[in-house]
Amino acid sequence: MPDIFGVIADQTRRDILQALLERHRTDAEMSVSEIVAQLEISQPTVSKHLKVLREAELVTVREDGQHRLYTLNAEPLEMIEDFVIPFLTAGFDTEVTVEYLSESGERMDGPETSDSFGELGEDGEVLPEEAAAAAERIGRAAARAESRVKELVARFKLRG
């Protein structure tokens, strides 16, 4: 796979990705001719850059007759996000503490010692498997949201 940083270093490829992102938000594909018209660059130039983006797996293509329809695949960009976010969030103190409170607001022991229904189950499980899986998905979504917020705050501080 090509170096993702090298792929997005080119302004034309970033412009193509931006155009595809706008369509991606509405679950729509974009033809080469639409990209040519929107960016006002030649078809051979667009085709050359789309080939590089395909090889980097940043776009997917579907053939419909003689038309090639492109969609954004943002997943490879997560490598860039993983690399850049620590730089953007340097200096942020993000220690998280967890307190367990009863319905009346009194502090309780955490799930490692008991749960709200009494002792832990024989297998030490606090939540049923389905609930634990849902909690894990929620936790991952919260972590992604925290990352995004930190990134935006860092950008705001850089501009300020």
Side-chain angles (χ1 to χ4, degrees), residues 94-153:
T94 59
E95 184 176 325
V96 176
T97 57
V98 178
E99 287 186 353
Y100 296 89
L101 304 175
S102 68
E103 289 182 20
S104 63
E106 295 177 38
R107 192 171 189 284
M108 299 173 50
D109 289 333
E112 63 278 352
T113 57
S114 68
D115 62 23
S116 59
F117 302 106
E119 293 302 312
L120 294 175
E122 289 179 20
D123 59 0
E125 190 176 77
V126 175
L127 296 172
E129 190 174 320
E130 288 179 9
E136 184 178 338
R137 287 191 301 275
I138 291 168
R140 276 193 243 117
R144 282 193 302 273
E146 180 186 19
S147 257
R148 301 271 194 244
V149 168
K150 287 179 186 178
E151 177 186 0
L152 292 172
V153 169

Side-chain angles (χ1 to χ4, degrees), residues 29 31 61-70:
E29 300 169 311
S31 70
V61 62
R62 181 179 69 84
E63 292 187 28
D64 183 23
Q66 293 195 2
H67 299 284
R68 289 177 164 236
L69 302 171
Y70 287 86

Side-chain angles (χ1 to χ4, degrees), residues 64-103:
D64 183 23
Q66 293 195 2
H67 299 284
R68 289 177 164 236
L69 302 171
Y70 287 86
T71 55
L72 175 67
N73 176 23
E75 190 174 320
L77 294 172
E78 290 176 7
M79 290 186 287
I80 292 172
E81 180 183 45
D82 293 343
F83 177 79
V84 172
I85 284 186
F87 294 96
L88 296 175
T89 59
F92 286 99
D93 184 18
T94 59
E95 184 176 325
V96 176
T97 57
V98 178
E99 287 186 353
Y100 296 89
L101 304 175
S102 68
E103 289 182 20

